[in-house]
Amino acid sequence: SFSYFWACFFHSFSFYRFSVNCHWAILNVKSNNRLILVADDDIDDQWMISEGLHDLDRNCKIEVVSNGQQAINRLENTSLPLPSLVILDLNMPVLGGLDTLLRIRHNQALQGIPVVVFTTSDSDESRSKSLKLGALDYIVKPNDYQGIVEAIEKMMQHCSG
């Protein structure tokens, strides 16, 4: 989770855009082909990830959900396009990240979606389980915005769209 300082610091840049458009759904409406699904229960992390994605690709469409079950429901909704990338936190309520990843990999229609685990946990066991379940990468969340942007740049290399 990011400190109150970072939330206040970045508030002046574009919090208005985030608060108006977020509504737990689409943050950037205009998109070429790239759709990123962010599954994270921490609102500060959601905001920082969304801002980092937007700073790197203004045409990127971002959808945010706050737990693994919401992510599965969104992914299984056949009336919506599949994302180019799923950014998945591990520690979420209702359905955690590892269980979400397992369900994604066991659903034939979802198996090809790139998933990157982005979490505060630096546990070797969590890293190993995530990679064995099919995550393409496991990245520990940095504590600063520049670190977030660098991590997102790395994640974007896994995009399928």
Side-chain angles (χ1 to χ4, degrees):
S1 171
F2 293 94
S3 68
Y4 180 72
F5 168 81
W6 285 111
C8 291
F9 179 79
F10 287 104
H11 175 85
S12 63
F13 290 113
S14 58
F15 186 74
Y16 177 75
R17 183 184 72 245
F18 178 80
S19 63
V20 168
N21 294 333
C22 179
H23 226 54
W24 302 109
I26 300 171
L27 298 175
N28 292 314
V29 185
K30 303 201 186 237
S31 172
N32 289 338
N33 288 336
R34 221 180 283 213
L35 169 63
I36 311 298
L37 179 64
V38 178
D40 196 311
D41 64 316
D42 186 289
I43 193 164
D44 293 332
D45 290 351
Q46 292 172 355
W47 183 74
M48 293 289 278
I49 294 165
S50 298
E51 284 301 302
L53 284 163
H54 185 259
D55 285 347
L56 291 170
D57 183 355
R58 291 199 179 271
N59 294 319
C60 181
K61 185 176 177 180
I62 304 162
E63 295 185 23
V64 178
V65 297
S66 57
N67 65 60
Q69 186 59 56
Q70 290 175 348
I72 293 299
N73 293 346
R74 165 54 185 89
L75 291 168
E76 291 179 343
N77 184 337
T78 57
S79 67
L80 297 172
L82 291 175
S84 301
L85 177 68
V86 174
I87 299 174
L88 184 64
D89 186 24
L90 287 186
N91 302 311
M92 295 183 291
V94 184
L95 187 65
L98 289 174
D99 291 329
T100 303
L101 181 57
L102 182 65
R103 288 182 56 184
I104 290 170
R105 292 301 177 233
H106 281 124
N107 182 325
Q108 199 167 21
L110 307 177
Q111 288 176 350
I113 300 172
V115 177
V116 173
V117 171
F118 195 46
T119 184
T120 56
S121 173
D122 62 357
S123 156
D124 289 336
E125 182 181 352
S126 293
R127 177 184 304 273
S128 177
K129 283 181 182 179
S130 297
L131 296 173
K132 283 180 184 172
L133 287 173
L136 295 179
D137 207 345
Y138 185 99
I139 301 172
V140 177
K141 292 178 184 173
N143 291 323
D144 61 75
Y145 185 70
Q146 184 58 39
I148 293 286
V149 171
E150 291 169 6
I152 291 170
E153 281 181 306
K154 184 177 179 186
M155 289 180 221
M156 296 297 277
Q157 295 172 5
H158 297 293
C159 273
S160 64

